[in-house]
């Protein structure tokens, strides 16, 4: 469980006797015409604790038990059969890319992709207060490539999280503050220019 040291969160490892993950992954690519690529990657992952009788208790479990001090009596909860922390069940990533030739031997490429994942628990106690909702991010990229006197030149314009989706990448339980959970926000919309030239 990640304790808080001031404003810095530190992950502390603990032993879990048994964990099981099982699922499927897929990678598909379709090229209907020259220069156009349609891609899709996805995964289904059922990740659960198979033996975790000594798990930390969520705030909901402590309140239901009427225990206001989880440090007393060495209280623990049984999360056997529950979802593994930080493991979304579904991850889906469709993408499209199109490249075309320009005069002078240059190449231009436009690409877009969408990265989506289903909800998952963000704290080791599987608390609904630290449950991370599903979210998807849309990204765009355009690049220009040309070989100049034997030296490859590449210029790329890109945007991550184009629609400025508000999302969190994790929920943390705070060990030194009872019934306290914090969220870690994801990066907002960003733009960038990448220039590379191999000499």
């Amino acid at each position: 469980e990640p304790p808080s040291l001031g404003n810095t969160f530190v992950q502390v490892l603990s032993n879990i006797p048994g964990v099981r993950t099982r699922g499927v992954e897929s990678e598909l690519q379709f090229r209907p015409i020259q220069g156009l690529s349609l891609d899709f990657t996805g995964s289904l992952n059922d990740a659960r604790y198979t033996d975790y009788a000594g798990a930390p208790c969520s705030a909901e479990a402590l309140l239901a038990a009427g225990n206001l001090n989880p440090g007393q009596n060495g209280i623990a909860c049984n999360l056997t059969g529950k979802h593994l922390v930080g493991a979304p069940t579904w991850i889906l990533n469709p993408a499209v890319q199109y490249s075309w030739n320009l005069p002078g031997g240059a190449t231009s490429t436009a690409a877009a992709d969408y990265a989506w994942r289903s909800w998952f628990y963000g704290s080791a106690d599987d608390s609904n207060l630290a449950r991370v909702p599903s979210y998807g991010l849309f990204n765009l990229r355009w690049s220009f490539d040309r070989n100049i006197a034997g030296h490859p030149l590449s210029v790329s314009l890109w945007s991550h999280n184009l629609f400025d989706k508000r999302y969190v990448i994790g929920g943390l339980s705070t060990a030194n503050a009872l019934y306290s959970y914090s969220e870690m926000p994801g990066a907002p919309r960003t733009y960038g220019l990448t220039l590379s030239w191999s000499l």
Side-chain angles (χ1 to χ4, degrees):
E1 157 177 339
S4 174
L5 305 176
N7 292 323
T8 303
F9 287 100
V10 179
Q11 295 286 346
V12 177
L13 299 179
S14 62
N15 291 323
I16 300 173
V19 171
R20 182 204 65 208
T21 63
R22 57 184 179 184
V24 294
E25 294 183 0
S26 67
E27 294 184 12
L28 304 174
Q29 186 176 75
F30 180 50
R31 295 183 176 179
I33 60 175
Q34 182 176 357
L36 178 62
S37 177
L38 305 175
D39 301 277
F40 175 82
T41 60
S43 66
L44 167 63
N45 180 30
D46 182 22
R48 296 179 181 270
Y49 302 110
T50 58
D51 183 5
Y52 200 14
C57 293
S58 66
E60 308 95 292
L62 292 172
L63 287 172
N67 192 312
L68 300 181
N69 188 348
Q72 291 179 350
N73 305 321
I75 185 172
C77 288
N78 188 355
L79 294 184
T80 300
K82 302 297 184 179
H83 286 278
L84 183 66
V85 60
T89 302
W90 291 95
I91 296 179
L92 305 176
N93 297 299
V96 58
Q97 177 176 295
Y98 182 65
S99 298
W100 63 97
N101 296 324
L102 299 174
T107 301
S108 182
T109 301
D113 68 84
Y114 185 71
W116 182 87
R117 60 191 57 218
S118 60
W119 68 269
F120 58 91
Y121 287 115
S123 64
D125 54 14
D126 276 9
S127 172
N128 284 320
L129 299 175
R131 178 169 162 164
V132 178
S134 62
Y135 64 88
L137 305 178
F138 186 76
N139 309 306
L140 280 180
R141 184 182 183 89
W142 173 82
S143 63
F144 171 87
D145 298 277
R146 185 177 180 184
N147 197 305
I148 301 178
H151 303 292
L153 170 68
S154 179
V155 180
S156 298
L157 292 171
W158 50 265
S159 175
H160 293 161
N161 191 11
L162 180 67
F163 299 122
D164 203 21
K165 172 71 175 178
R166 304 296 180 178
Y167 66 103
V168 295
I169 58 175
L172 298 172
S173 56
T174 308
N176 64 352
L178 190 58
Y179 308 142
S180 176
Y181 293 87
S182 301
E183 291 182 336
M184 298 176 61
R189 176 173 49 213
T190 57
Y191 299 96
L193 171 66
T194 302
L195 174 64
S196 65
W197 191 19
S198 299
L199 301 177

